[in-house]
Amino acid sequence: MSTESTDYVGRFAPSPTGPLHFGSLVAAVASYCDARYNQGKWLVRMEDVDKPREMAGAADDILRTLEAFGFEWDSEVINQSQRSDIYEDHLQHLQRNGFIYACTCSRKEIADSAINIGIDGAIYPKTCYPKTYFNKTINSNTRERHASASPMGTASWRINVDSAGLIAFKDAIQGNISQQLAHDVGDFILKRKDGLFAYQLAVVVDDALQGITHIVRGADLLDSTPRQIYLQQLLGVTTPHYAHVPVVVNADGEKLSKQTLAKPITAETSSALVFEVLQFLGQNPPFEFKNATLAEMWRWAIAHWQLEKIPRQKLQIYNT
Ligand code: GLU
Ligand code: ZN
C-alpha cells in the first residue's frame, strides 16, 4: 500500500470573474487528473475575495459547468467571501509578530516615489515602514497607528519582505524557481485599504486550513508562489508541492482568459473539450477517444495521467 498517495489533497480555486473558459478548464482538468491518479481528494474553492471584480452569477455558472463536465469534488465548496474573520486572525498573528505594517500611501504617491521596478511594477519604497518596528519593544506610537489603521480601513497592510532572502522551490513542471522578494516584488499588500484581503493571504490561509498538499494551477501564478511560500513560513504552515501548467495563449500570444468557451457545453461537447485539454496537456489521448463519452474520457485520462508529459513551458499556443 502506498502511503504517500492517500495523503494527497488537491484543489481547483477559480475566481468568479466570468464563466469557466478553456484556460481555467486546463487548470481544472490537470489538478483533477493529478489528484485522482494519486488516489487523492480534490476540492473546489470559490476565490471570491475580490468582490468588486466578481461577475454576478459567475460562481454558480462555474460550478454548474464543472458539474456538466463530470467533475466530482470531495467536500463542500468554500467561499472566500465568507472567511474574512479567518483571514483577519491570521493577519493579526502576523501583526503580533511584527511582520506587517500599515501603509497609507496612494497609488500616485507610490508611483511618484518608487525607484525600482519589480516583476509586478513599482517596488513599494517602504515609505510607511516604521523604523522602530523590529525593536523588541514596539514604540507606542507605532502600535497606536497600527491599531487605529486596521478597523477604520484607512490603510492597507503590507508585509515586510526584508528577511525573506532567496525563496526557492522546485516546481514539478517548471523546474527550479527562485525569487528575491525584496528585489523582485517588495513589501506586498495583505489587506487592502477598502478592507478586502489580498489573494496572496487568502490563498495561503485556505490552502493550509484545507490541508492542500498538491497545487496544480496555471503558470500565471508561478510568480506569486514565492510570496505564498514566504507567508507559509511566517505562519508556520507546510509548503505544498507545486506544479504550474502552461497558460493557454492564442497565436498572437494573448491569454484566452477573457474569452469564454466558444461552444455551449453539452454532454457531447464537454467530452470533446476534455479531449482537447488532454491534448493541450501533452497526454496524447488516442484518436478514437475523440467521440468517447465523458465517463470513458475521464477513466482514460485518470488511468493514463502523466504529469511528466505536460509541456515544460509557461505559455502554450492553443488554436481554437
Ligand atoms: N483564483 C485564482 C485564479 O483563478 C487561482 C488561485 C490558485 O490556484 O492559487 O486565477
Ligand atoms: Zn505607504
Side-chain angles (χ1 to χ4, degrees):
M1 200 180 94
S2 138
T3 48
E4 208 190 339
S5 55
T6 49
D7 291 338
Y8 187 120
V9 185
R11 51 51 155 202
F12 175 56
S15 303
T17 52
L20 201 75
H21 49 79
F22 189 80
S24 40
L25 185 61
V26 166
V29 169
S31 61
Y32 189 63
C33 290
D34 199 58
R36 293 300 189 228
Y37 175 75
N38 290 291
Q39 284 114 51
K41 290 204 168 90
W42 186 75
L43 310 180
V44 174
R45 178 170 73 229
M46 202 47 72
E47 299 213 317
D48 56 352
V49 73
D50 191 350
K51 278 287 164 196
R53 282 193 57 223
E54 185 168 341
M55 181 198 266
D60 279 346
D61 191 70
I62 289 172
L63 294 178
R64 271 200 311 274
T65 307
L66 289 174
E67 269 164 11
F69 274 103
F71 288 98
E72 290 169 2
W73 43 95
D74 288 303
S75 30
E76 254 178 73
V77 174
I78 64 167
N79 289 279
Q80 290 189 325
S81 56
Q82 311 289 307
R83 296 168 63 79
S84 302
D85 292 351
I86 298 171
Y87 307 140
E88 185 65 41
D89 282 351
H90 288 81
L91 189 81
Q92 281 175 16
H93 173 85
L94 294 172
Q95 186 189 355
R96 278 193 303 274
N97 288 289
F99 295 126
I100 63 172
Y101 61 95
C103 166
T104 52
C105 297
S106 66
R107 242 173 231 274
K108 184 170 182 326
E109 282 167 330
I110 297 174
D112 291 348
S113 57
I115 300 164
N116 299 312
I117 303 296
I119 54 172
D120 270 353
I123 303 262
Y124 177 64
K126 293 180 98 81
T127 321
C128 298
Y129 180 64
K131 304 288 180 281
T132 53
Y133 202 55
F134 280 88
N135 288 351
K136 280 280 174 275
T137 49
I138 298 170
N139 81 29
S140 60
N141 265 351
T142 307
R143 205 187 289 124
E144 250 164 52
R145 198 163 133 235
H146 283 225
S148 65
S150 177
M152 308 213 300
T154 50
S156 57
W157 287 89
R158 290 182 183 274
I159 184 147
N160 172 36
V161 297
D162 290 347
S163 56
L166 186 77
I167 305 272
F169 69 102
K170 188 169 167 71
D171 188 272
I173 298 168
Q174 308 288 341
N176 291 319
I177 306 289
S178 65
Q179 226 177 55
Q180 196 84 51
L181 284 186
H183 177 268
D184 298 328
V185 178
D187 293 354
F188 56 99
I189 290 180
L190 298 187
K191 189 180 186 183
R192 302 177 351 188
K193 262 187 198 169
D194 59 10
L196 292 176
F197 290 93
Y199 156 71
Q200 307 291 0
L201 179 67
V203 77
V204 164
V205 169
D206 287 342
D207 284 334
L209 292 181
Q210 292 194 289
I212 305 297
T213 60
H214 290 73
I215 294 180
V216 181
R217 62 184 178 188
D220 49 331
L221 293 162
L222 196 58
D223 278 347
S224 286
T225 308
R227 267 168 272 187
Q228 295 172 17
I229 293 175
Y230 182 52
L231 287 174
Q232 287 153 4
Q233 292 171 352
L234 298 187
L235 290 168
V237 300
T238 311
T239 292
H241 298 276
Y242 287 100
H244 286 85
V245 301
V247 167
V248 187
V249 292
N250 65 21
D252 298 324
E254 295 158 348
K255 276 193 204 173
L256 294 196
S257 53
K258 291 284 175 301
Q259 285 163 251
T260 52
L261 291 164
K263 309 159 206 157
I265 295 148
T266 64
E268 298 82 55
T269 55
S270 57
S271 115
L273 270 166
V274 173
F275 183 90
E276 287 181 47
V277 169
L278 293 171
Q279 279 185 321
F280 179 87
L281 290 168
Q283 303 298 303
N284 299 323
F287 190 73
E288 60 272 23
F289 268 79
K290 233 186 146 132
N291 300 311
T293 65
L294 258 181
E296 288 167 339
M297 191 72 73
W298 283 124
R299 250 196 315 275
W300 185 89
I302 291 163
H304 297 88
W305 179 248
Q306 284 182 283
L307 190 79
E308 52 284 4
K309 279 194 181 169
I310 297 175
R312 293 172 186 268
Q313 52 201 54
K314 288 196 215 172
L315 301 175
Q316 189 181 204
I317 294 175
Y318 168 72
N319 294 307
T320 30

